Amino acid sequence: MSRSRIPRFYQLSVRERIALLQQRGVLTTDAAAHLADGTSALDVAAADRLIENVIGVFSMPMGLGLNFQINGRDYLVPMVVEEPSIVAAVSSTALLVRQAGGFTSVADEPLLIGQIQVLDLIDPERARADLLARGDELVALANSGHPNMVARGGGARGVEVFLRGGTVQNGELLVVHLLVDTRDAMGANLVNSMCERLAPLVEEISGGRVFLRILSNLTDRALVRARAVIPHALLETADFPGVRVRDGIVLANEFAAMDPYRATTHNKGIMNGIDAVALATGNDWRAIEAAAHAYAGRGDGYGPLTSWNVNDAGDLVGELTLPLKVGTVGGQVESNPAVRLAHTILGVSSAPELAEVMAAVGLAQNLAALKALSTNGIQHGHMRLHARAVAAAAGAGAARFEEVVEKLIADGEIKVWKAREIMQALDAASDGDRTIDPAVTDAGSGAAASVTSPAPGLTPRPAVIRTPSTATPPAATTPSAPGPDARLGFGKIILMGEHSVVYGYHAIAAPIGLSVRAQVTRQESLLEPVIADWDVDGSVREPIRADLSHRVAALIASRLGVSAVGLRVDVFSHLPRASGLGASAAFAVAVIRAVADSFRLTISDAEVSSLAFECEQIVHGTPSGIDNTVATFGRSVLFQKTDAPGGHTIRDVFTPHPIPIVIGLSGVESLTKQTVGLVRSAWQRNPARYDAIFSQIDGLVLAGVDALRRGDIAELGELMNINQGLLNALQVSSPEIEALVAIARRAGALGAKLTGGGGGGAMIAIAEPGGTEPILTAMRSAGYTTYLTEIR
């Protein structure tokens, strides 16, 4: 069993986490009990013996950094930190690096430097030479007062002497450096006492006057180096290809190397992780911080502590080097029960090993930050964790804590005052006489909820069709990834026929390998539907627009004859939103199927598509019906909207060989409702002119079907290029789309055009077999996100 890999650890309660660690042998029975009842914390009496003027004990959260594999060994890493997202980010990144083989980390022999300041020298150069000549004598004297340290293999190792230049009143400044191996102790007191012991002999040898005698916190004789090599394929996200993420991380590091303002924040992110481990293990985080930033400022200017590069194999290579002198023994470690417990969990056997772990944590923290910054932004995964902190600050109780968090996220105003306002509203609702039935009424019981007019093609029927044994859905959970009962909606591209399809002409559409999944559970405390949007790695995405998503959820519940009260919908999306790839239809289809599955409803694909069409009307106004059709059926079709029963005709489209399709995202959101409305306004002003354009597009579509059936890629590409010209005439393209189209054609695309509503969003390109890689490379080099899919 892996020591550090504990899936879904965050979903457990604190007591369940402690019990699990005990079961895995990480915690003893006593240690588990101390954590569970809070007696692991430092008490006031003990604190009064550690510092002056004690009035109490200040607490901070201690969490575990998971998934770490360093030098082939697993580590659970205790981290004490008040800032949300740090522990989650480092755990997620450690899992990523684990999949690439883990971290390597190497610590130097940990030496501290003691400094002795010498002034008023008659002959500085002679004094320096004499001190160096008698270096062994100085080392022996330093060690004579610490036989136990020497017996453990530590002690003074050597002497260095430097002339630093003239002082204002006391001549040349000479500094003696005493190099000391303090073994597993932090060693400040040891080094200071050695310097004090040497002062008289230094004065005798040099002929000068000793003034300051103290250690230096610039511990550049105790360097540690951490390294990770990550194939770019592991960096891929739902919205960004791995190469794009890799290059973005390198570019972000270059920014830090060239700009001290950015480098300061860059290094602060590294220290987020290192300091948290230092606090947990009882180490002097202030000294660690000072050393790290001083080391970053060596040379000509202040720069980043990490470097990120690409090796010959195309892998991302990250390296962190910093001075890191830490301890695993001594008063600060042994006097605090929480620190002792943290060491027990971590399980390191020496100070260098602890330094190696801390460096790996710092590198992971840096990678997490750069990956977020170079993709969706640093706030992308922070919102839910921030909302939890705000809910706690507002005093939200356990019974309603999660509900307050969900409402904060949905509202977007994550402030303490807003949390209190939500709590007051919930209290007011509870004080009323309102009764909420958490279960759904069985069909035929005489109390079934009424069903409003059904979606086109959705057969009117009782509110619920299911077996009586499933009247109450299972208890709610908050999944981190789609479970086995999650339901799917497919993304799509329109190969040809956008906009004209709204007016009854043909279009060719195909599913792509990006989809949306949904899972529905119930929470009886919820007074309205809650929709949470998750990335596939378990981190929170930006919230779905609340007004539209809740209207869609309410419509689905109404049409299916179930109560929306208490519904929690967890959405897991690979599809970028507002990109013309059918995300809203895929969302609707996934939610419909998930709700039906949760309540054991029988619903056909045709009924799913019809209901999803109604949902699309909420989002887009006058949709063609093509998105919901492909999202539901997941196959390539020739689509035509009609006035006949059912509202459209679809015919499957086949091709003898799969045709690769490159998708490029413009980075500009595409609002289909807006572009469809603009085209409609133009058509209403001059229907004859626009009908002529639609008719030309329709001819291209039908010719395209024939080209597909023959596998004639060159003909298909030419038809797509002409279609793009007509779409440009409809004024639904954009500068970014036109740039992408031009890049694709220059890179060898046989055809390239926008897909979907236009106004931004996505474009598609096709090429001869084996010709897609230059197109992908050209687009990515220009800074665009790309995907590769195919038509079958």
Side-chain angles (χ1 to χ4, degrees), residues 387-454:
R388 295 180 70 85
V390 167
R400 284 190 172 151
F401 185 82
E402 297 297 339
E403 188 173 2
V404 173
V405 169
E406 299 294 350
K407 288 182 176 294
L408 280 170
I409 293 171
D411 184 85
E413 189 75 43
I414 303 180
K415 301 289 192 300
V416 172
W417 66 264
K418 185 64 179 180
R420 289 176 177 152
E421 183 180 280
I422 290 170
M423 291 157 59
Q424 290 172 359
L426 292 173
D427 289 341
S430 296
D431 290 340
D433 294 327
R434 182 177 178 184
T435 301
I436 302 171
D437 181 6
V440 180
T441 309
D442 284 334
S445 67
S450 62
V451 181
T452 57
S453 58

Side-chain angles (χ1 to χ4, degrees), residues 746-759:
R746 285 197 302 268
L750 298 175
K753 61 178 287 293
L754 68 83
T755 184

Side-chain angles (χ1 to χ4, degrees), residues 522-759:
R522 282 182 65 85
Q523 293 180 349
E524 296 181 11
S525 61
L526 298 178
L527 301 181
E528 60 184 37
V530 168
I531 299 177
D533 197 17
W534 303 83
D535 266 334
V536 293
D537 64 358
S539 60
V540 68
R541 286 159 55 99
E542 293 295 332
I544 302 170
R545 185 178 163 188
D547 58 341
L548 293 180
S549 61
H550 283 83
R551 286 170 63 194
V552 167
L555 174 66
I556 291 169
S558 173
R559 290 291 188 265
L560 296 181
V562 300
S563 173
V565 173
L567 282 184
R568 177 188 171 93
V569 182
D570 287 282
V571 179
F572 310 90
S573 180
H574 290 268
L575 275 171
R577 297 199 196 103
S579 295
L581 299 178
S584 62
F587 165 78
V589 168
V591 173
I592 292 166
R593 285 174 165 160
V595 172
D597 180 74
S598 179
F599 290 99
R600 308 298 191 268
L601 304 179
T602 301
I603 183 169
S604 69
D605 285 344
E607 291 171 329
V608 169
S609 182
S610 294
L611 182 48
F613 178 79
E614 281 197 275
C615 298
E616 284 284 87
Q617 288 178 312
I618 293 175
V619 178
H620 296 310
T622 56
S624 65
I626 197 167
D627 285 18
N628 54 276
T629 299
V630 178
T632 303
F633 293 97
R635 61 180 188 264
S636 299
V637 296
L638 177 66
F639 179 95
Q640 184 178 25
K641 187 176 179 181
T642 69
D643 295 328
H648 61 262
T649 62
I650 57 173
R651 286 183 287 165
D652 289 343
V653 175
F654 300 100
T655 186
H657 307 288
I659 298 176
I661 299 286
V662 175
I663 302 174
L665 299 187
S666 69
V668 178
E669 288 196 350
S670 168
L671 301 178
T672 301
K673 185 173 185 177
Q674 182 177 352
T675 55
V676 168
L678 291 173
V679 173
R680 181 166 292 279
S681 296
W683 174 77
Q684 289 172 338
R685 290 193 300 270
N686 197 329
R689 177 180 300 162
Y690 280 85
D691 279 336
I693 296 175
F694 297 152
S695 180
Q696 290 182 65
I697 292 174
D698 194 56
L700 297 172
V701 171
L702 295 176
V705 171
D706 184 59
L708 278 169
R709 288 173 175 162
R710 291 184 285 107
D712 190 341
I713 301 177
E715 173 70 7
L716 182 64
E718 183 176 346
L719 294 169
M720 289 170 61
N721 290 333
I722 298 170
N723 192 176
Q724 173 62 21
L726 293 173
L727 290 169
N728 207 344
L730 291 175
Q731 301 181 60
V732 295
S733 191
S734 71
E736 295 79 10
I737 289 292
E738 292 298 320
L740 270 167
V741 166
I743 290 169
R745 291 174 182 168
R746 285 197 302 268
L750 298 175
K753 61 178 287 293
L754 68 83
T755 184

